[in-house]
Amino acid sequence: MDFFEEIRRNKLRVAILLGTLYLCLLLAFAVPFGFGGSPVGFAVLALIVALVTSVYLLVTLSCSKGLTMAALGARPPQDAWRAEREFANVVHEMALAAGAPMPTVVVVDDETINAFAFGLSPTKTYVGVNTGTLARLTREELQAVVAHEVGHLVARDTLLKSVAMSALGVIDLLEKTLRTLAAGALGASAAAGSMAGGGKKGAAAAGAAMFFLFIAAALFIMLLPVMVSRFFAHLVFFAMSRRQEYRADAYAVQFTRNKEGLIGAFQKMAEETASSVPATVASLRLSSRLDGRGFLGAIYATHPPLEKRMAVVNGGQPVPPRPESSRLRMAAPRAPVAVVGPIASAPAQLERADQVRKAVLCPRCKTKVPLAIPRPAPATIAVKCPECGLFANIATAPLMSPA
């Protein structure tokens, strides 16, 4: 696949998207006032619309990185966990395979299987996975998932999607504003009309009612092209997103030279979505809400169904489900983690005045997990086993008490 051609096309799509956005907004503001007015006034209106929209987009895009990382709860990988070190190595491998700059690696503490990529420029990009991805996927499957996200970065899909989401935000905000103002103007017209009657006050109230009615009509005329633009903009955005996913799947196979890894990861994601994710979490999954099934799903889904993606990766042949015995299940409720005391083999230079070094025993695989508890100690501390991926939140009071 020609990455440079795809990058050129995505940049062109960004320019077309912004041009279409400016045109729609200009029509929304210009239609109520007609095109027969002063050309200077129309030019001033166009300049104001373009300026306000550009400032909004720039502010939104400049804050998008921090907002995205905060919303996901992303953090840097911890060197103490072998799985997270391996993940960083896999990202480095896939970046080399794609000929792309090394992305910043982040991790989200979530037991579901998922991954994401973000970046507005080629040199400031991010690739992240959930901790459930590291615990449940093999290295080949992890490589395929990371290669898929790196493919988004290489093709500049993340830039196009960020600009598209910001543009949709402009249209959504304008629609809500116009809808609220129009409803307020109608309410004011009705209130003024109820006071209309004889005398000067009645005539003034009738005039105010007609004035607010005119304002409401102008706002509804402005609202109509915005609503139509919003509807078609969302359809285009969803279709664009689905197309990007298919293309990123192809990139993943190209970078790894191994379609089985991506198919295996999709199979585990499908099993998790179908049987093992609680209902409170399933609505947040990329493939669990309107994932391309049915009429509405085919229109409003941001990602195609996993079954279709697996079939495309497999050369058009459907992929049979894995045996029931090998399917993923959510772990049982977490058992208490036993305290085993300080690490006897820890080097003396690792001891610091602002932390206490302890170790806990994983109840699943009996691996000794080292801890560094800061001082003052928090009430609880999250622990993850580097061998089996088990999570547990344990109280620090037993750890800090003298043996």
Side-chain angles (χ1 to χ4, degrees):
M1 302 182 72
D2 190 344
F3 297 121
F4 296 103
E5 177 63 20
E6 195 59 44
I7 292 172
R8 187 192 67 80
R9 289 178 181 176
N10 275 342
K11 289 181 178 179
L12 179 61
R13 293 182 187 115
V14 170
I16 295 174
L17 179 65
L18 292 178
T20 305
L21 173 64
Y22 290 138
L23 180 61
C24 292
L25 295 178
L26 183 60
L27 288 176
F29 283 97
V31 166
F33 307 103
F35 290 95
S38 170
V40 176
F42 186 81
V44 171
L45 176 63
L47 181 61
I48 293 175
V49 171
L51 181 62
V52 173
T53 304
S54 299
V55 170
Y56 181 89
L57 289 175
L58 289 176
V59 172
T60 303
L61 291 174
S62 63
C63 299
S64 58
K65 178 256 179 181
L67 293 176
T68 301
M69 295 299 133
L72 293 172
R75 60 169 176 79
Q78 299 180 12
D79 291 337
W81 308 131
R82 186 184 64 182
E84 295 185 9
R85 293 198 307 269
E86 182 176 303
F87 166 56
N89 293 336
V90 168
V91 173
H92 185 67
E93 294 170 3
M94 294 300 101
L96 289 176
M102 176 63 182
T104 301
V105 180
V106 294
V107 177
V108 176
D109 291 315
D110 191 306
E111 293 190 357
T112 58
I113 300 176
N114 211 338
F116 64 93
F118 177 81
L120 300 179
S121 66
T123 57
K124 294 182 179 179
T125 55
Y126 298 82
V127 171
V129 296
N130 290 358
T131 46
T133 305
L134 304 180
R136 291 174 170 83
L137 299 189
T138 64
R139 198 178 198 281
E140 288 185 350
E141 293 165 348
L142 180 62
Q143 283 180 327
V145 169
V146 171
H148 173 97
E149 302 303 333
V150 171
H152 281 307
L153 297 177
V154 170
R156 306 300 298 277
D157 290 342
T158 52
L159 170 64
L160 178 59
K161 187 170 292 187
S162 297
V163 174
M165 292 178 66
S166 298
L168 288 177
V170 173
I171 298 176
D172 291 343
L173 179 62
L174 180 60
E175 183 195 16
K176 292 178 181 178
T177 302
L178 292 176
R179 193 188 298 271
T180 302
L181 292 176
L186 280 179
S189 177
S194 65
M195 296 185 293
K200 293 183 178 181
K201 291 185 177 180
M210 291 301 297
F211 173 76
F212 283 117
L213 186 61
F214 172 77
I215 295 297
L219 290 172
F220 276 117
I221 293 175
M222 295 172 65
L223 182 61
L224 182 61
V226 174
M227 292 179 62
V228 174
S229 301
R230 180 180 182 273
F231 175 75
F232 285 104
H234 278 82
L235 292 185
V236 171
F237 173 76
F238 295 140
M240 176 192 71
S241 180
R242 292 192 296 270
R243 180 177 178 275
Q244 288 178 349
E245 295 305 317
Y246 281 124
R247 190 175 61 246
D249 293 343
Y251 288 152
V253 176
Q254 179 178 349
F255 295 155
T256 61
R257 300 291 193 270
N258 178 17
K259 68 178 183 180
E260 300 301 329
L262 189 61
I263 292 175
F266 284 160
Q267 284 180 315
K268 291 181 180 179
M269 289 179 65
E271 293 163 8
E272 178 187 67
T273 303
S275 61
S276 60
V277 177
T280 55
V281 181
S283 62
L284 303 178
R285 296 284 296 129
L286 293 176
S287 58
S288 62
R289 174 180 168 271
L290 292 179
D291 59 353
R293 296 180 177 85
F295 177 74
L296 290 179
I299 295 178
Y300 290 101
T302 57
H303 288 63
L306 291 173
E307 292 80 3
K308 288 186 177 180
R309 295 170 69 179
M310 284 188 285
V312 171
V313 173
N314 199 37
Q317 300 297 322
V319 178
R322 299 193 308 162
E324 185 70 22
S325 59
S326 62
R327 295 194 175 189
L328 293 175
R329 301 295 178 190
M330 290 292 283
R334 304 311 188 199
V337 181
V339 178
V340 299
I343 305 176
S345 60
Q349 61 268 27
L350 292 181
E351 297 291 345
R352 292 166 42 181
D354 61 343
Q355 64 181 218
V356 177
R357 295 225 165 228
K358 300 282 185 175
V360 293
L361 192 64
C362 176
R364 178 189 291 173
C365 65
K366 307 306 178 185
T367 298
K368 186 180 291 187
V369 182
L371 297 178
I373 305 173
R375 287 176 173 157
T380 60
I381 187 170
V383 180
K384 175 191 173 185
C385 178
E387 295 295 329
C388 67
L390 176 67
F391 282 92
N393 288 320
I394 62 175
T396 57
L399 294 171
M400 304 301 290
S401 61

